[in-house]
Amino acid sequence: MTAEMVALPDLFSRAARWGVPLTQYLNIPVINNAVAGESARSYSEQDLFTKLVDSVKSGDYVIIEFGHNDASAGSVDNGKQDAVGDGYNITSTVTTSNFAYYIENAIVALEAKGAIPIISSLTPDNIWTNGAIAAGGRFVTYAQSIGTRRNITYVNHYAYVAQAYNALGQTQTTTFYPIDHLHTNAAGANVVAEAFVRGLLCGSSTLKSKVNAAGQVVPNLSSTSIVGQTVYLAGDSTMARGGGGAGTDGWGQYLGQYLTIPVINRAIAGRSARSYTDEGRFTSLINEVQSGDYVIIEFGHNDGLSGDIDNGREDAFGDDYDTTATVTEADGTTEVIHTFTFYLQNAVTALQAKGAIPIVSSQTPDNIWNGNVIAAGPRFVGYAQLVGQSTGAVYVDHYDYVAQAYNTYGQTTVTTWYPLDHTHTSPTGANVVAQAFVRGLLCGSGTLKSKVNAAGQAAPNSRIPNGRSVTHQMISMLLSIAE
């Protein structure tokens, strides 16, 4: 039997408050199971998730939002803190498991009952930086990562509330917080509930079909679009989920932990600038993005010449826009192809026309060395830079920043990150490559640098092995994942 109900497991008093006004924006019942002072861990250990799973029916929606009480408590366990980390299997001696472990176990159990879980990031505190709500912490990123791993709806509640607060201003927002910087009054709770409804309406969850007439007009009460709320990635296997297979992974899977806004990885293994275009993937991406979204484009590994028979990926040789070449297909037919610059520049200009913010990134290095340093980059590194210059898009020399890191760690260590071949990295290597991209953002002028979170900000400033330093643009780098 299919039921229609929304259940809300939450951890903090404000959640209990915004869950109340949520009911006025939906046409199905809302049962608020939020309990003040709980974390993902304590909610789980007190069997509150178990009771919730037992109570839901097939077709019910369950909105899960934690984070305010999940941070480390210090040397003495408070019964709430989770182990630090973004993955499922991370543990510590004080806390049994981490944030993702507790929530993903609940999600699996809910799905087994036929319920529809929605993961929501925690809401902001009334803390401001330079006239805007302060950036979200690691639990915002953790929630997004859970949504990606479990393939369930993720609502960046933090970002939607921050947008509303920024529009209202600090003076008015502060009137919503009579006790402290965490807990809202009724008026503030309503703003937070409206922000969640905006998140539903801007997303793909089927729960948006249950938003009533009052909820439908909520997004029109403030700005009509969420600017710069999402980062999209377009690239090949070095960026894509699952990398080149056999336990490798792409760096795009690790970028999200260093940003305060969601990352959607549209990279596909084996693609070039040409094949990504010919398969309609750039067109789909252009149709998907909204004004203010960022799109990181990185190709090169598969764009080289293929020989007498076209492989469907090679580009015409040259760094200009107009050069073409005629290639022979396996069936004997011919096709006119264009340059790397042609394909990328067309994508960049189309994205700019949508109001999106493209970032052109050079390809990452292979594990190929010239003496004790990474070999010089191929021609596509220079081509990417030219596309950035010709379109006015931000350019990140990802090749160079990764090479800096690799040269510092040395060939022996770096080689351990390439278990399959000289192109595809292990998860550890992919994380280093992601950190290198963040360093490129922070050293550049693009506005995406303002979305780098505390973990990303710390990456360039942390120590590296044996006290060695990276001497080009940045002083040092981080290998481990920061809080």
Side-chain angles (χ1 to χ4, degrees):
M1 173 174 127
T2 298
E4 290 193 343
M5 178 189 75
V6 176
L8 300 174
D10 263 295
L11 76 158
F12 51 101
S13 294
R14 183 196 310 161
R17 289 181 177 138
W18 80 259
V20 173
L22 180 64
T23 62
Q24 65 188 316
Y25 300 119
L26 300 176
N27 58 24
I28 57 175
V30 175
I31 297 177
N32 196 340
N33 294 286
V35 179
E38 303 303 331
S39 67
R41 172 192 167 197
S42 63
Y43 202 93
S44 177
E45 291 182 346
Q46 295 179 52
D47 291 328
L48 296 175
F49 270 131
T50 299
K51 293 175 182 177
L52 177 63
V53 171
D54 290 341
S55 68
V56 299
K57 298 178 181 179
S58 178
D60 285 345
Y61 296 86
V62 181
I63 300 167
I64 304 174
E65 180 175 299
F66 288 94
H68 279 282
N69 297 317
D70 292 74
S72 299
S75 57
V76 179
D77 180 30
N78 64 357
K80 302 176 185 179
Q81 68 182 42
D82 311 318
V84 175
D86 191 22
Y88 176 85
N89 293 316
I90 297 170
T91 61
S92 72
T93 55
V94 174
T95 60
T96 305
S97 298
N98 73 330
F99 185 79
Y101 174 88
Y102 299 112
I103 292 181
E104 290 190 41
N105 282 351
I107 289 170
V108 170
L110 288 164
E111 289 178 326
K113 284 288 295 284
I116 307 167
I118 295 173
I119 182 72
S120 176
S121 60
L122 81 167
T123 53
D125 292 343
N126 184 32
I127 298 175
W128 296 71
T129 302
N130 298 323
I133 285 291
R138 57 189 169 96
F139 293 103
V140 174
T141 303
Y142 291 172
Q144 184 214 347
S145 296
I146 291 168
T148 300
R149 278 195 300 270
R150 299 306 314 173
N151 194 29
I152 65 171
T153 295
Y154 165 68
V155 175
N156 191 346
H157 201 184
Y158 192 103
Y160 285 96
V161 175
Q163 184 205 21
Y165 284 179
N166 291 340
L168 292 168
Q170 186 172 0
T171 299
Q172 183 171 352
T173 299
T174 298
T175 67
F176 301 152
Y177 290 84
I179 299 175
D180 52 25
H181 61 70
L182 177 65
H183 302 99
T184 58
N185 59 18
N190 191 59
V191 172
V192 175
E194 290 175 341
F196 184 83
V197 173
R198 287 197 297 276
L200 285 180
L201 292 173
C202 290
S204 58
S205 171
T206 56
L207 184 56
K208 68 194 273 185
S209 68
K210 308 301 180 183
V211 175
N212 62 22
Q216 292 291 338
V217 301
V218 163
N220 300 321
L221 299 179
S222 59
S223 61
T224 57
S225 65
I226 306 295
V227 176
Q229 290 302 295
T230 303
V231 177
Y232 290 85
L233 306 181
D236 56 36
S237 58
T238 60
M239 179 191 274
R241 181 177 185 176
T248 61
D249 213 357
W251 69 268
Q253 293 298 102
Y254 301 82
L255 180 62
Q257 66 192 316
Y258 302 119
L259 300 177
T260 61
I261 58 177
V263 175
I264 296 178
N265 195 345
R266 297 288 188 237
I268 303 292
R271 298 321 189 260
S272 67
R274 172 190 163 200
S275 62
Y276 204 89
T277 299
D278 289 347
E279 293 172 2
R281 297 183 186 278
F282 270 130
T283 299
S284 296
L285 183 59
I286 292 161
N287 291 336
E288 181 178 10
V289 301
Q290 299 180 30
S291 178
D293 286 338
Y294 296 88
V295 183
I296 301 167
I297 304 173
E298 182 179 292
F299 289 95
H301 282 282
N302 299 313
D303 291 77
L305 301 178
S306 62
D308 294 335
I309 303 298
D310 176 39
N311 64 358
R313 302 184 297 186
E314 70 170 298
D315 310 320
F317 190 91
D319 63 2
D320 67 329
Y321 182 88
D322 295 319
T323 295
T324 62
T326 301
V327 295
T328 301
E329 308 296 335
D331 63 0
T333 61
T334 60
E335 179 182 349
V336 175
I337 63 173
H338 300 270
T339 61
F340 180 91
T341 299
F342 174 93
Y343 297 114
L344 255 63
Q345 187 168 318
N346 283 350
V348 168
T349 56
L351 287 163
Q352 290 170 330
K354 280 289 295 280
I357 307 168
I359 298 172
V360 180
S361 177
S362 60
Q363 70 176 86
T364 55
D366 289 336
N367 185 32
I368 297 175
W369 296 72
N370 183 4
N372 60 356
V373 297
I374 285 290
R379 57 192 170 94
F380 297 103
V381 173
Y383 291 176
Q385 183 179 16
L386 290 173
V387 172
Q389 291 172 347
S390 65
T391 60
V394 169
Y395 169 68
V396 174
D397 193 349
H398 201 184
Y399 191 101
D400 185 52
Y401 284 97
V402 176
Q404 293 173 38
Y406 284 6
N407 292 343
T408 300
Y409 283 99
Q411 185 172 1
T412 300
T413 297
V414 170
T415 298
T416 65
W417 302 334
Y418 288 83
L420 181 62
D421 53 29
H422 60 65
T423 301
H424 301 100
T425 55
S426 65
T428 300
N431 187 51
V432 172
V433 175
Q435 290 173 347
F437 184 83
V438 173
R439 287 198 299 279
L441 288 179
L442 293 173
C443 288
S445 58
T447 56
L448 185 54
K449 69 193 287 185
S450 69
K451 308 298 184 182
V452 175
N453 63 18
Q457 293 286 344
N461 300 316
S462 299
R463 291 188 175 274
I464 54 178
N466 303 321
R468 296 172 291 180
S469 64
V470 177
T471 57
H472 176 72
Q473 291 190 297
M474 300 303 294
I475 301 302
S476 61
M477 66 164 285
L478 165 72
L479 176 60
S480 62
I481 300 176
E483 271 188 45

